[in-house]
Amino acid sequence: MTQTSQPRREFHSGRGKKTFGRIPGGFYLVGALVILFEVVTLGAVGLALAIGDPSDDGASPDKESRRVEVTYIATGDHPSVDLTFGNANDSHEPRGVVILPYRKTVEMAPGADFYLDVRSREDQKGGTLTCTVLVGGKVVQQAHNTTDSSSATCAGSTADAPQRGIPVPTLTPGASPLPEERRLTGTVKVPDYPGEGSPVIGTVTDSSLEYAELGGTWDRSKTLDPVFDGFTRKQEGRQRALVKSTQVDEDIMAAAGGTGELRGVADAVMDERRRYEYPRDQAILVDVASQPLKVDGRDAWLLVSEIHFHKRGVPSTMDLNAVLVVDTGRVRPSVLWVVLPETNKKLWPDLNTLVSSVRLR
C-alpha cells in the first residue's frame, strides 16, 4: 500500500517563543540612538583629555592678566629729593627731583622685584628720609636713612609677607609746586613796596658806589675778601636778608657777551646768584621789574626777580632779589645785590630805600 506522507507539525509552547520576536520594532531605533549618543560623548571626553585643560597651562590669559598693586612712598623733612624706583621688568627708573611727600601706585606681576631709593639732593644733606613700599595696600618694607647716610633704600619682592606693626606713613601736605619761569624782555618799573622799612644809619662806600647803611634788624656793614666771597661789602639782616656790593667780575662780563650792555650784565649777575646761592636745578626766576636808571648822570639797570625754591631748614620759599648794575666809568661796572625773604616782607621797602640812595663816589 502506498502511504501518503503527512506534513510535519511543529509544536511550540508559548514559553519557547523567540525573545526578539516579542520586542516591538520601534525599540530598535531608540536603542541605536542611545548607542550613537554614548559614542559621541565618549569621543568628546577623550578629545578633551587629549588636548588638556587650558586652566592648567601656566601661560593662560587669566594668570597673565593677574597683577598686584605696588605703592611707592617717600617721606622726610626734606622739601625735595632725588628719587628712583624699579618697575615690573626689574629696571630702575630715575624720577629726578620730586617734592615730598611722594606717593605713586603701579601694577606689577606677582613675584616681581621692587626697588625704591630716596636720596638727598647734593645741597640738602642730612635730615630724615624714609622709603615705604606697599603691596596690595599693606606695608611689606620700610627703611630709614642713618645718621651717616643721605639715602633710604627699599628692595624686595611683591611676594614678600606684610610687616606687622608698621603703619602706612601719613602724607601731610608738602612743599607747594614751583611756578613757571618768567623772564622779562620789555621794560617794567620796580613797584613801590609799602611800609616804613628800616631806618638809615649811615652810608656805605664801595666799588665807586655810595649807598645807605640800614639799621633796625640789620647788622652793621662789613668788608669782605673778594677772592673768597666774590663781593667786597656785606650787610646781613634778619631771616637771610642780605646786601652785597662789588665790581662785576670778568667771568660775568663774559657771560653777558663782553659788550658791557647793562641789561645783559644784570641778567648774568642774577643767573649767577641763583646758581650759587639756591638749590641746584630747583630755583625758579620770576622777573618782577627790569628798567633803566640814571645814577648821577651815568647809565644803570635795575633787575628785580622773585626766586622761588625749596630748601631744607629754610622757612622762606621765595626771596625777592634785586640787582642794580651801574656804569661808573671804570672798565667794569659796579653792582649792588639785595636779597629780601618773603618771610619778612616788612623789609621789602628797604629795596626802594637802597636803590634811591645809590650815588657815585
Side-chain angles (χ1 to χ4, degrees):
M1 284 180 68
T2 304
Q3 294 182 348
T4 305
S5 62
Q6 297 293 327
R8 192 177 217 186
R9 293 182 63 188
E10 296 184 6
F11 296 93
H12 297 282
S13 67
R15 188 173 294 178
K17 217 174 185 182
K18 292 182 178 179
T19 303
F20 286 105
R22 295 182 180 185
I23 301 174
F27 281 94
Y28 291 103
L29 178 60
V30 174
L33 291 176
V34 170
I35 294 172
L36 179 61
F37 174 78
E38 291 180 350
V39 171
V40 172
T41 302
L42 290 174
V45 172
L47 181 61
L49 291 174
I51 294 176
D53 186 359
S55 65
D56 293 336
D57 186 356
S60 68
D62 288 341
K63 284 194 174 182
E64 285 185 350
S65 64
R66 285 192 306 167
R67 310 284 281 177
V68 293
E69 283 193 348
V70 177
T71 301
Y72 298 104
I73 299 177
T75 52
D77 63 357
H78 291 231
S80 60
V81 294
D82 288 317
L83 187 131
T84 300
F85 65 74
N87 57 24
N89 61 7
D90 298 330
S91 65
H92 297 163
E93 179 182 357
R95 303 300 295 179
V97 177
V98 300
I99 303 298
L100 293 186
Y102 176 88
R103 179 187 179 113
K104 184 176 179 62
T105 298
V106 299
E107 289 189 344
M108 298 176 65
D113 293 334
F114 60 75
Y115 176 86
L116 173 63
D117 182 73
V118 184
R119 188 170 298 271
S120 298
R121 302 186 63 211
E122 183 177 346
D123 51 2
Q124 298 189 31
K125 300 294 184 182
T128 61
L129 295 173
T130 300
C131 66
T132 306
V133 178
L134 314 180
V135 177
K138 297 181 179 180
V139 177
V140 298
Q141 191 164 141
Q142 186 176 88
H144 310 276
N145 68 317
T146 59
T147 55
D148 58 350
S149 172
S150 60
S151 68
T153 303
C154 292
S157 168
T158 58
D160 292 347
Q163 296 189 15
R164 296 182 179 181
I166 300 180
V168 177
T170 301
L171 302 185
T172 56
S176 58
L178 297 175
E180 293 185 2
E181 185 108 348
R182 186 183 69 201
R183 307 305 299 266
L184 291 173
T185 56
T187 298
V188 178
K189 291 186 177 181
V190 63
D192 186 10
Y193 294 103
E196 295 183 2
S198 303
V200 176
I201 61 172
T203 300
V204 177
T205 301
D206 181 53
S207 299
S208 301
L209 297 180
E210 289 183 351
Y211 56 90
E213 182 178 11
L214 302 172
T217 60
W218 290 86
D219 296 333
R220 298 303 299 261
S221 180
K222 299 178 181 179
T223 58
L224 296 176
D225 185 340
V227 175
F228 295 100
D229 297 284
F231 290 85
T232 48
R233 295 287 299 193
K234 175 180 74 171
Q235 186 174 19
E236 293 181 299
R238 184 174 297 174
Q239 297 179 13
R240 299 175 56 254
L242 198 64
V243 177
K244 285 187 174 184
S245 59
T246 192
Q247 188 178 25
V248 179
D249 66 32
E250 296 177 353
D251 291 339
I252 293 179
M253 294 296 293
T259 63
E261 194 270 326
L262 295 180
R263 180 170 192 160
V265 174
D267 285 335
V269 173
M270 187 71 77
D271 288 337
E272 190 224 21
R273 292 299 92 207
R274 168 172 61 172
R275 183 165 56 252
Y276 287 104
E277 302 294 337
Y278 292 90
R280 180 177 55 87
D281 300 329
Q282 195 192 6
I284 303 301
L285 272 174
V286 178
D287 288 345
V288 174
S290 186
Q291 68 174 109
L293 293 176
K294 291 288 186 180
V295 175
D296 287 344
R298 305 288 300 188
D299 289 337
W301 197 277
L302 175 63
L303 175 64
V304 181
S305 303
E306 297 176 351
I307 297 186
H308 297 259
F309 63 98
H310 298 302
K311 189 172 184 179
R312 189 178 67 85
V314 178
S316 176
T317 59
M318 190 272 281
D319 289 345
L320 192 68
N321 277 251
V323 170
L324 177 64
V325 178
V326 182
D327 178 8
T328 61
R330 300 167 68 179
V331 175
R332 288 177 279 121
S334 294
V335 59
L336 178 71
W337 176 49
V338 182
V339 182
L340 301 170
E342 184 183 34
T343 50
N344 197 355
K345 285 189 175 182
K346 290 182 179 180
L347 296 182
W348 283 19
D350 292 350
L351 173 59
N352 301 114
T353 300
L354 287 164
V355 171
S356 63
S357 71
V358 176
R359 298 289 184 270
L360 296 184
R361 292 179 57 176

